[in-house]
Amino acid sequence: VKDLVAAAHALIRRGYGPCAMVGHSLGGAATLLAARQVKTVGSVAVIGAPASPDHIERLVADGRRDIRRHGTATVVIGRRAFPISTAFLDDLERHDETGQVAALGRPLLVVHAVDDEVVEVAEGERIFASARQPKGFMPLLDADHLVTDRAVARRLAEIMIGWLDATL
């Protein structure tokens, strides 16, 4: 979250302030938390984002003991390995994503693969339910968490472009 806010503020100082923020998966969760801190952001979109730290904690549960014991450990999430640190776990507890979404104050689009095996579609539905209008929810059919199918990726790009055209 700090990195996203710092990058956005660096762009603002150079005269390029971001007009939208888009994030995928954990990056989507970070986007939801960062967007309120960047005044130039007029619209937000997330793809396959978890609705709460609880979901992320469940994903790393198998490695939790090793993370706490060694300070860091590699955890496999969605067939990809990620180094997870105790600092990351501790930071999760500090965030109220649902509250941040409710107070976002900007148009929000939630896109989620219906058959997502990493972050269940119910997580996207929870984000959508927490948001105030204007908001949109777009289920992605025939998609996996990483949107690896080219046709689905093109459809996703069209959805994003349409949302940003309508809300910026």
Side-chain angles (χ1 to χ4, degrees), residues 91-150:
D91 191 46
L92 283 177
E93 298 168 8
R94 294 185 20 233
H95 299 290
D96 172 20
E97 188 175 332
T98 303
Q100 291 291 316
V101 169
L104 186 60
R106 288 152 175 108
L108 173 64
L109 175 63
V110 179
V111 180
H112 214 104
V114 173
D115 297 321
D116 193 325
E117 293 179 356
V118 177
V119 180
E120 301 84 17
V121 70
E123 293 289 308
E125 292 167 340
R126 286 180 53 210
I127 293 169
F128 179 75
S130 299
R132 295 192 174 124
Q133 293 289 352
K135 63 182 180 176
F137 184 87
M138 179 59 64
L140 273 183
L141 304 176
D142 302 318
D144 59 10
H145 182 70
L146 296 176
V147 192
T148 56
D149 182 272
R150 284 189 167 277

